[in-house]
């Protein structure tokens, strides 16, 4: 066997090792990425219209807290999630139905009666009765739910 | 660019020496049975990769283990593939490692100066059996539960130490959440740590000594 063919044999084996190694890496890597990422892309199904409670509980001038239990499928577990909603009205005709999730980084806000403000304890976000930002880092007002009033009951759309 | 980078890296790490030491060894003319060790190593990689992936969804508690395994198999994208690779890889591992050991015995590769390679291989074989034993319980189905009941019961049979051995294995008297949790811990932390250390030693020794030649007819050790 000449020097030259010896060298090409070596080159061939080197290329083959690299090629097979690379192919195996891809063969494992792609399914691994799909396995890890694809399940998280699944959209959560909304529950649609859900009854929040009687509209008569809302005191005009004060945000009133309602809570709602929602069933959520997470993986192999069916979980009960509690949604907290503030309903505010000034005149009993126009309502603001607000999420209690702070728009800054999703901590929960609460209504402080003495100060007449919503307050988020995580980073001192402050909102007024209507959910407008008064102070602190929140980038936008509290999120509103789509809602409807039927037979003196208030319903929200849970998506 | 690539050459410059590899030179830069070599000046600081000396990786080329290591690379050449691993891949440019002289290899005697041997047969395909000598690839069983590399095959075992490949299955180790398969088990490590798929095993790590499975822990992303698997939960080792009695109320979630079975459901999470079902979820992996039927709901997660390619979950059937990842679990299947781990499941069949486990069986293949025992078979291939056993054949590897037979090859080493029949062709006399365990002899001087490769005794330590052989000893580490024997421990590695026991570690593989340990992997099989602890992994078998994790799906938490009927087969897993009763197989582990029987297996741990056997550990309880020797006089004097039997009862203690059984309790240590089960984490108590019965087969419970404690058993599942400790089998999981052993399966994903204790055994992999031992396995990787010993594989490192084993492969280092193979590279250091080079692989053995096949015995020749008519040769004997007294010459």
């Amino acid at each position: 066997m000449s020097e030259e063919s010896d060298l090409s044999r070596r080159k061939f084996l080197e290329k083959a090792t690299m090629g097979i190694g690379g192919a195996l890496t891809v063969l494992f890597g792609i399914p691994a990425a799909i396995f890890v990422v694809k399940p998280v892309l699944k959209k959560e199904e909304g529950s649609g219209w859900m009854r929040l409670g009687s509209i008569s509980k809302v005191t005009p001038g004060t945000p009133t807290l309602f809570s709602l239990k929602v069933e959520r499928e997470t993986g192999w577990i069916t979980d009960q999630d509690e949604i907290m909603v503030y309903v505010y009205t000034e005149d009993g005709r126009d309502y603001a139905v607000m999420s209690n999730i702070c728009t800054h980084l999703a901590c929960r806000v609460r209504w402080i009666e003495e100060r007449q403000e919503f307050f988020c304890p995580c980073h001192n976000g402050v909102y007024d009765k209507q959910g407008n930002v008064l102070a602190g880092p929140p980038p936008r007002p509290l999120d509103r739910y789509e809602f409807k009033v039927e037979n003196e009951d208030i319903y929200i759309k849970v998506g | 660019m690539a050459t410059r980078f590899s030179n830069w890296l070599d000046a600081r790490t000396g990786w080329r020496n290591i690379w050449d030491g691993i891949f440019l060894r002289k290899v005697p003319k041997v047969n395909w049975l000598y690839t069983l060790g590399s095959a075992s190593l490949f299955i180790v990689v398969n088990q490590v990769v798929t095993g790590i992936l499975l822990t992303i969804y698997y939960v080792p508690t009695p109320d979630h283990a079975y459901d999470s395994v079902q979820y992996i198999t039927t709901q997660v994208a390619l979950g059937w593939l990842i679990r299947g690779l781990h499941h069949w890889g486990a069986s293949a591992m025992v078979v291939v490692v056993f054949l590897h050991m037979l090859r080493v015995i029949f062709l006399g590769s365990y002899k001087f100066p490769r005794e330590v390679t052989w000893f580490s291989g024997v421990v590695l074989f026991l570690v593989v059996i340990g992997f099989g034993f602890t992994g078998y319980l994790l799906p938490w189905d009927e087969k897993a539960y009763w197989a582990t009941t029987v297996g741990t019961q056997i550990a309880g049979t020797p006089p004097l130490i039997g009862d203690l051995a059984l309790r240590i294995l089960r984490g108590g008297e019965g087969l419970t959440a404690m058993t599942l949790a400790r089998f999981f811990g052993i399966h994903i932390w204790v055994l992999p740590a031992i396995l990787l250390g010993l594989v490192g030693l084993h492969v280092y020794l193979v590279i250091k000594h080079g692989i053995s030649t096949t015995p020749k007819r008519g040769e004997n050790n007294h010459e």
Side-chain angles (χ1 to χ4, degrees):
Chain A
M1 213 183 267
S2 74
E3 275 292 302
E4 200 182 329
S5 74
D6 226 32
L7 209 66
S8 71
R9 174 192 161 92
R10 163 171 294 187
K11 273 269 174 282
F12 169 75
L13 285 173
E14 204 177 294
K15 286 261 189 309
T17 308
M18 291 291 185
I20 293 169
L24 281 173
T25 308
V26 172
L27 222 56
F28 273 92
I30 291 176
I34 293 171
F35 178 80
V36 174
V37 174
K38 185 129 184 269
V40 310
L41 302 178
K42 199 179 145 206
K43 285 264 189 302
E44 271 181 42
E45 273 175 46
S47 317
W49 289 104
M50 296 199 67
R51 186 180 168 274
L52 200 55
S54 171
I55 198 94
S56 61
K57 283 196 203 147
V58 183
T59 326
T62 306
T64 311
L65 185 63
F66 287 85
S67 72
L68 184 62
K69 288 225 169 25
V70 183
E71 288 212 333
R72 284 234 156 87
E73 300 262 338
T74 48
W76 60 94
I77 300 165
T78 307
D79 245 353
Q80 280 234 326
D81 241 9
E82 197 169 42
I83 296 178
M84 306 285 255
V85 178
Y86 280 102
V87 180
Y88 176 73
T89 181
E90 222 139 72
D91 49 15
R93 283 197 306 276
D94 294 322
Y95 290 88
V97 181
M98 296 169 282
S99 160
N100 73 330
I101 298 172
C102 183
T103 55
H104 178 220
L105 291 169
C107 291
R108 272 35 174 182
V109 303
R110 63 170 190 274
W111 174 249
I112 312 270
E113 186 65 40
E114 308 87 69
R115 303 219 304 255
Q116 294 287 299
E117 288 166 355
F118 285 107
F119 178 69
C120 179
C122 290
H123 306 96
N124 300 332
V126 182
Y127 306 82
D128 71 9
K129 299 175 171 192
Q130 309 265 11
N132 300 309
V133 181
L134 293 178
R140 61 171 198 278
L142 289 173
D143 290 330
R144 302 271 179 109
Y145 279 98
E146 198 181 320
F147 72 98
K148 62 183 182 187
V149 181
E150 270 174 16
N151 305 323
E152 297 299 299
D153 278 334
I154 189 158
Y155 292 80
I156 62 167
K157 196 164 194 179
V158 183
Chain B
M1 180 66 206
T3 329
R4 265 189 65 191
F5 177 68
S6 79
N7 286 341
W8 183 91
L9 203 63
D10 186 53
R12 283 150 188 83
T13 61
W15 68 270
R16 258 184 217 130
N17 264 338
I18 298 168
W19 182 269
D20 290 355
I22 293 171
F23 292 107
L24 299 186
R25 294 175 281 135
K26 289 256 185 285
V27 177
K29 180 137 180 68
V30 290
N31 57 48
W32 280 94
L33 293 175
Y34 284 70
T35 60
L36 286 165
S38 297
S40 311
L41 186 61
F42 174 71
I43 300 174
V44 167
V45 173
N46 176 69
Q47 295 307 93
V48 168
V49 171
T50 55
I52 289 172
L53 288 171
L54 288 172
T55 63
I56 291 175
Y57 297 103
Y58 176 73
V59 177
T61 61
D63 48 350
H64 291 306
Y66 179 80
D67 288 340
S68 62
V69 170
Q70 292 308 306
Y71 179 72
I72 291 168
T73 317
T74 61
Q75 304 295 313
V76 178
L78 298 182
W80 57 271
L81 177 66
I82 303 296
R83 186 183 171 209
L85 282 169
H86 200 74
H87 176 100
W88 291 104
S91 297
M93 178 76 117
V94 175
V95 172
V96 171
V97 158
F98 187 70
L99 291 174
H100 177 50
M101 189 176 75
L102 287 184
R103 196 281 292 167
V104 169
I105 294 174
F106 284 132
L107 297 180
S109 302
Y110 56 86
K111 294 174 187 173
F112 175 84
R114 299 187 176 82
E115 293 98 324
V116 178
T117 324
W118 167 258
F119 296 147
S120 62
V122 170
V123 181
L124 276 168
F125 184 63
L126 295 176
V127 169
V128 165
I129 301 296
F131 267 113
F133 185 60
T134 51
Y136 209 74
L137 176 66
L138 303 184
W140 202 250
D141 51 13
E142 290 286 330
K143 190 171 68 171
Y145 187 89
W146 294 108
T148 306
T149 300
V150 171
T152 47
Q153 197 72 28
I154 292 169
T157 52
L160 300 175
I161 57 160
D163 186 54
L164 181 65
L166 179 136
R167 280 167 177 277
I168 289 173
L169 273 175
R170 286 187 183 168
E173 215 166 290
L175 209 158
T176 61
M178 296 286 281
T179 322
L180 181 55
R182 65 177 47 213
F183 269 47
F184 180 70
I186 292 168
H187 191 81
I188 73 154
W189 290 118
V190 181
L191 293 176
I194 299 172
L195 183 92
L196 294 182
L198 284 173
V199 165
L201 173 66
H202 199 74
V203 171
Y204 162 75
L205 289 171
V206 168
I207 289 166
K208 178 179 166 57
H209 295 302
I211 61 176
S212 62
T213 51
T214 48
K216 297 284 180 298
R217 197 178 290 277
E219 263 181 16
N220 76 57
N221 294 330
H222 304 297
E223 279 174 350

